[in-house]
Amino acid sequence: MNTEYLKTFLTLAELRNFTKTAQQHHIVQSTVTLRIRELERELGKHLLQHDKKNVVLTDAGRQLLPYARKMVELENDAKDDLNTLVNFPAILHIGAVHTVYDCHLQPILMRYICEYPSVALKVSLGDSKKVIQQLFEDAVDLAISYSFFENNQISCMPFRSDRMLLVTNFDNHEYEDGIEIHTLRRVPLLFSGYSLDNAPEWFNSLLPECCGFQLSTNVGSKLIPFIEAGNGYAFLPEGIVAGRIDAKILREIPLLNSELPDLQSYITVKRKNLGKKEICDWLSISLLDECKVGFSL
């Protein structure tokens, strides 16, 4: 299947306009039509319904959409890796959740680059579900997430543990001596679901009757500008707010009569890849100070 045709299909599915699609790909409109017709001929299905004003995906077109994205992404990744290998004899692909990257990964990446300059590092950021899926698909060599998963093919071990803190703008003195759980239900809370599977569980254990959040995101650091501007309160890992607390930009609010669970992250690797030198070198650096126990083989 021609990936240029798939790229044209993806653009048309997004823009819903043949003329704009042609302009974006620097081709004439008739070429867009020919590429879509060729895809339909190859697949034996109509992908679009359209008239002079509207372009609508058929059921077959909607089914093709995620596969088309994946095929184009795979081709781009392959080209990128092959180009990288011209200058670097080895590549290490790492999948990580955003908050772990913000809290812990940058200094480890810097050290790895200094100690192993012949290895190219490629980091893909996403939520826990995404990075674990990338590991299963061999799109990354190791995944760093908030999900614990282990079986006879997958090895998983603790990476870092962060204290969760309730923070607000430093100039907000209300509740500076502490806040009760039942009072939290009445203040403007911003929320980040660090792990789509685990975060609601611990949060709902604290606020089982909570009706919602003023702002929610799956990237904790994205909440910080709102908190600094005085827009409420948020539970955030100590690793991304400690400096701001020390600098008196944010204020930690003690939680009275309750204890927040730590936010535990994990490194997950396929057991068959544990002997790969680049992975061993990464583990020796990233786990050097935090954990002396190796993966079980």
Side-chain angles (χ1 to χ4, degrees):
M1 195 173 295
N2 191 310
T3 52
E4 288 302 317
Y5 294 179
L6 290 174
K7 291 175 185 177
T8 304
F9 167 73
L10 289 172
T11 304
L12 185 56
E14 177 185 356
L15 300 180
R16 306 298 174 98
N17 184 286
F18 278 82
T19 301
K20 292 180 180 178
T21 298
Q23 291 172 346
Q24 184 158 321
H25 286 270
H26 306 289
I27 55 179
V28 295
Q29 186 172 327
S30 60
T31 302
V32 174
T33 302
L34 287 172
R35 288 180 177 182
I36 299 301
R37 285 179 180 173
E38 180 58 27
L39 277 176
E40 291 179 329
R41 184 198 65 77
E42 186 174 352
L43 295 169
K45 301 285 185 182
H46 289 294
L47 301 176
L48 304 168
Q49 292 178 340
H50 59 92
D51 53 32
K52 292 183 179 180
K53 293 184 178 180
N54 300 308
V55 176
V56 179
L57 291 177
T58 64
D59 289 342
R62 285 190 291 273
Q63 275 194 311
L64 176 62
L65 209 55
Y67 295 102
R69 291 193 185 105
K70 188 65 176 177
M71 292 173 72
V72 170
E73 181 182 334
L74 286 172
E75 181 189 51
N76 291 337
D77 288 347
K79 288 179 178 178
D80 189 34
D81 281 358
L82 290 172
N83 289 334
T84 301
L85 288 172
V86 173
N87 297 313
F88 298 92
I91 303 172
L92 180 63
H93 295 84
I94 301 168
V97 295
H98 294 82
T99 304
V100 170
Y101 183 92
D102 292 335
C103 289
H104 304 294
L105 281 195
Q106 293 184 54
I108 298 174
L109 291 169
M110 290 180 183
R111 180 174 173 183
Y112 191 98
I113 289 171
C114 290
E115 293 193 15
Y116 304 100
S118 63
V119 180
L121 295 177
K122 297 198 174 182
V123 182
S124 172
L125 301 180
D127 58 36
S128 291
K129 183 178 180 180
K130 177 183 176 181
V131 299
I132 293 296
Q133 185 63 38
Q134 288 178 319
L135 181 71
F136 284 129
E137 295 173 352
D138 290 320
V140 297
D141 299 303
L142 58 89
I144 307 174
S145 74
Y146 292 122
S147 294
F148 180 86
F149 181 89
E150 189 169 48
N151 59 25
N152 61 348
Q153 295 181 330
I154 301 293
S155 190
C156 184
M157 72 175 300
F159 175 54
R160 298 289 190 274
S161 181
D162 278 290
R163 272 202 320 140
M164 293 297 293
L165 305 179
L166 178 65
V167 296
T168 188
N169 179 278
F170 185 78
D171 295 328
N172 180 6
H173 294 278
E174 190 174 13
Y175 308 118
E176 64 180 336
D177 295 325
I179 190 170
E180 299 275 0
I181 287 294
H182 64 84
T183 307
L184 268 178
R185 300 178 182 128
R186 300 197 297 268
V187 302
L189 279 174
L190 313 185
F191 179 67
S192 179
Y194 305 99
S195 162
L196 297 179
D197 297 324
N198 300 330
E201 181 179 342
W202 68 256
F203 199 89
N204 289 336
S205 70
L206 296 175
L207 298 174
E209 300 175 9
C210 184
C211 60
F213 308 100
Q214 194 172 31
L215 172 67
S216 61
T217 174
N218 67 340
V219 183
S221 60
K222 301 303 181 185
L223 296 179
I224 293 177
F226 296 92
I227 300 299
E228 290 179 350
N231 298 117
Y233 303 74
F235 290 100
L236 293 170
E238 185 176 20
I240 61 173
V241 296
R244 289 175 170 85
I245 292 173
D246 292 341
K248 297 185 178 182
I249 298 171
L250 297 179
R251 178 185 301 278
E252 178 185 358
I253 303 297
L255 200 59
L256 302 177
N257 304 321
S258 297
E259 186 176 345
L260 290 175
D262 289 342
L263 189 63
Q264 180 65 57
S265 57
Y266 302 90
I267 296 181
T268 309
V269 182
K270 285 189 175 181
R271 294 184 187 274
K272 67 178 183 179
N273 293 331
L274 285 173
K276 185 176 179 181
K277 183 181 185 305
E278 291 75 30
I279 293 178
C280 291
D281 292 337
W282 170 267
L283 295 177
S284 70
I285 289 177
S286 62
L287 302 178
L288 182 63
D289 299 324
E290 292 291 323
C291 184
K292 302 301 182 181
V293 180
F295 280 90
S296 56
L297 297 174

